[in-house]
Amino acid sequence: MEPRDLSAHTVYRAGRGIEEVARELGLDPDDMVKLASNENMFGPSPDAVEAIRGSAERMHSYPKASHADLVEELAELWDVTPAQVWLSNGGDGALDCLARAMLDPGQEVLVPSPGFAYYAMSARYHHGEVNEYTLSKADDFAQTADTVLKDYDGERIVYLTSPHNPTGAEFSTDAVRTIAEETDEQTLVVVDEAYGEFSEEPSKRPLLDDRDDVALLRTFSKAYGLAGIRLGYAVVPEDWADAYARINTPFSASELACRAGLAALDDDEHVERSVETATWARQYLSEELNAPTWDSAGNFVLAEVGDASAVADAAQERGVIIRDCSSFGLPECIRITCGTREDTERAVSVLNEVIEVVE
Ligand code: PMP
């Protein structure tokens, strides 16, 4: 027997770890730098590590049913009710929950192109059909209300990414409001703020005060340095009271993840240091890299290098792993994650050498 027809589904391209790449190239993983997955190069908050250690011995028990303490702290942070916080297995899990809660079979969603692959994937898992709106390179990938509305055709969910992966572009709050206003009442606008901490733009959260068709996505994977623990959440409209309880996978956020998340939330210093260094690195990359770059509000920078695959391969052989953006439909671009000062400087020096050789 076989699974159902999965030919319309794509495979999530998770970046390879340093150990794997080092083994293949015969290099020492300690000599390599990975700036390819927009992770936090300072690692997790030490307080989160402590919390993980401290809770390890209780792992024979199922998670506390509601993770009430973390949910309450997040609800306070965003000034919403606890029922509006949908904890999940990473931001990806939140996208799953939203698609599962919103889509009837055959309903359509609108996703950015280029853009984060999991919007389309999660919609398809839940029997949705996928349409795209185009972010134009000629227009520096600008994200305005019109960028989205020109391609909108009554879809059930519209996904916005701000800051956008991989371009770093943002939506203004006014643009998101216009999109929510101009789309049907039965269209949900999901604003993915996975990189929100790195941006100076305010969160789009205030839109939830007077609208019931906007949801946010946030994650602990980026500024909080907890990508490996898989913890994210959606902030949803107030009157969705019991939808989460009806669609959520049991215990979708682990107890370990929630203990780490709670500790990380209280470690402002760690987040501030990460954001400050990312801000420095964005500037450094745009000034020092011998390639055109786009302004970014995230912890990464997109650069145009000609043959991205050749540049990525050559940089990798020299110990620096960055992201070839071919899978985003940008085979001429690479995305470099903001690292520590030392790692970012090394990446720029290697990339400049490689860009010249590849040309
Ligand atoms: N949204 C965007 C734009 C992303 O780039 C990512 C991951 N790279 C995510 C959501 C999901 O991240 P996670 O599942 O690790 O929270």
Side-chain angles (χ1 to χ4, degrees):
M1 67 170 284
E2 284 185 20
R4 67 189 169 95
D5 179 10
L6 297 174
S7 53
H9 292 253
T10 42
V11 177
Y12 193 86
R13 273 179 39 120
R16 296 193 306 158
I18 283 196
E19 283 75 16
E20 199 184 339
V21 176
R23 204 178 316 119
E24 190 180 293
L25 296 173
L27 300 173
D28 179 349
D30 291 337
D31 290 341
M32 297 196 78
V33 171
K34 181 181 171 225
L35 298 177
S37 300
N38 302 341
E39 292 150 338
N40 186 329
M41 290 307 130
F42 289 113
S45 144
D47 296 349
V49 175
E50 199 52 41
I52 292 167
R53 288 212 179 96
S55 54
E57 283 172 10
R58 294 194 301 277
M59 287 308 117
H60 61 291
S61 298
Y62 281 103
K64 289 191 212 69
S66 56
H67 292 302
D69 45 5
L70 176 57
V71 170
E72 273 163 25
E73 187 145 334
L74 289 169
E76 200 172 305
L77 178 68
W78 294 104
D79 193 19
V80 294
T81 64
Q84 287 177 266
V85 177
W86 289 13
L87 282 187
S88 55
N89 181 15
D92 295 335
L95 290 169
D96 257 329
C97 284
L98 291 169
R100 196 180 304 151
M102 294 301 293
L103 295 177
D104 280 325
Q107 281 190 313
E108 294 178 326
V109 304
L110 190 63
V111 307
S113 170
F116 181 51
Y118 202 66
Y119 306 141
M121 293 173 70
S122 54
R124 289 196 184 104
Y125 291 153
H126 300 290
H127 306 277
E129 308 279 336
V130 179
N131 302 327
E132 295 180 341
Y133 61 92
T134 309
L135 303 174
S136 151
K137 188 173 161 200
D139 208 8
D140 282 335
F141 302 108
Q143 301 199 118
T144 65
D146 191 51
T147 314
V148 178
L149 294 173
K150 68 178 175 6
D151 291 324
Y152 171 75
D153 189 19
E155 284 84 357
R156 175 73 161 150
I157 308 180
V158 172
Y159 295 90
L160 312 180
T161 324
S162 191
H164 179 271
N165 175 15
T167 68
E170 298 189 270
F171 279 100
S172 68
T173 302
D174 283 350
V176 178
R177 180 179 288 284
T178 305
I179 292 165
E181 279 169 5
E182 299 287 316
T183 49
D184 292 353
E185 264 176 32
Q186 292 303 317
T187 294
L188 176 72
V189 177
V190 174
V191 190
D192 178 348
E193 297 183 344
Y195 300 98
E197 289 83 2
F198 299 103
S199 161
E200 285 175 12
E201 264 280 317
S203 163
K204 309 306 183 256
R205 149 70 188 89
L207 293 176
L208 273 76
D209 283 337
D210 60 336
R211 302 206 62 89
D212 67 355
D213 56 357
V214 176
L216 300 186
L217 179 139
R218 307 284 303 205
T219 181
F220 284 84
S221 294
K222 308 299 177 183
Y224 290 101
L226 289 171
I229 207 106
R230 312 305 302 135
L231 183 65
Y233 56 98
V235 182
V236 305
E238 198 168 1
D239 51 4
W240 287 18
D242 69 346
Y244 180 62
R246 291 177 188 275
I247 54 88
N248 188 31
T249 311
F251 313 114
S252 62
S254 79
E255 184 67 18
L256 216 51
C258 291
R259 294 309 105 211
L262 204 54
L265 264 188
D266 289 339
D267 189 354
D268 293 337
E269 211 176 291
H270 187 73
V271 174
E272 273 162 28
R273 181 164 77 129
S274 309
V275 171
E276 263 168 34
T277 308
T279 309
W280 167 83
R282 287 193 308 235
Q283 181 82 10
Y284 183 81
L285 283 160
S286 68
E287 282 171 8
E288 301 296 329
L289 202 65
N290 290 338
T293 57
W294 282 269
D295 286 345
S296 170
N299 66 338
F300 52 85
V301 167
L302 185 72
E304 181 160 9
V305 295
D307 183 344
S309 158
V311 167
D313 285 350
Q316 198 163 281
E317 280 163 22
R318 291 162 174 78
V320 172
I321 310 173
I322 46 85
R323 177 74 186 258
D324 159 13
C325 289
S326 300
S327 65
F328 285 103
L330 299 170
E332 71 286 20
C333 293
I334 57 170
R335 190 194 64 199
I336 309 125
T337 299
C338 297
T340 58
R341 284 179 185 248
E342 192 188 345
D343 288 354
T344 308
E345 283 168 3
R346 173 163 170 212
V348 167
S349 133
V350 163
L351 284 167
N352 282 346
E353 191 184 308
V354 160
I355 288 166
E356 209 167 290
V357 174
V358 168
E359 273 176 354

